Amino acid sequence: MEDSTAHNIAVGVVITVVGGLITAAILAGLSQCGPSHTTTGQSTQPQTSSAPLPPTLTPTSATPAPTTPNSAEPRSTYLSDMYATQSNYDPVPGQASINGQVHPQSIEFQVYYVANPVNEVSYNLGRDWRHFAATAGVTDDSTSGAELRFQIFIDGQEIYDRTLTYGESNPVTLNVTGVLRLTFKVSLLNKEDGTYIGAMGDAHLSN
């Protein structure tokens, strides 16, 4: 009877030990196979390419090229296209032949021995021109031997004085910068009747 009891106790101890070993083994296996829930603190965002980015250009305001004031375009006009502001005998615009040369854009000044020996004509320049040019002379259809005195004034000041006879001509160039009024005076020097015409051939203003 005692032997049977001892045998049963030994068997129970063995079963208890074996059960503990099996339980430990099962727990050890679960700890190795289970998912790890430990966080490392690393970012979970997707990694981007490590290739260097192109340099960013900073916009700058465009510097305008230096400019110069626009100068007025070159202009010119013939006196034959202008109206005289003052005259004692109206000038005649048109073609004039002087010393054998034809000048299509001219002004003629007629003078007469008795009625009108002096012809004075003025033009308003408006201080808008710089140069005056013309060919002065007695027209070819005047009386042979005609002799005329040509005078030019700018704002009342004489700047040209020349006596020309039939068959003569003289180029005239004047600086008229800032001039308000340009005046021509043609005087007859002959002492007998005839046809006497002085002219400014192709008289024109420019700037």
Side-chain angles (χ1 to χ4, degrees), residues 124-130 155 176-181:
N124 184 10
L125 304 190
R127 308 189 192 283
D128 197 32
W129 304 96
R130 297 178 58 189
D155 291 333
V176 293
T177 302
V179 172
L180 182 61
R181 178 159 293 188

Side-chain angles (χ1 to χ4, degrees), residues 13-47:
V13 170
V14 170
I15 291 173
T16 301
V17 171
V18 171
L21 291 175
I22 292 173
T23 301
I26 291 173
L27 293 175
L30 293 174
S31 63
Q32 292 178 358
C33 297
S36 176
H37 299 284
T38 305
T39 59
T40 61
Q42 296 180 354
S43 173
T44 59
Q45 297 179 354
Q47 295 182 354

Side-chain angles (χ1 to χ4, degrees), residues 186-201:
V186 178
S187 303
L188 177 62
L189 301 182
N190 298 82
K191 301 301 181 182
E192 58 185 4
D193 288 333
T195 300
Y196 305 106
I197 304 173
M200 287 286 168

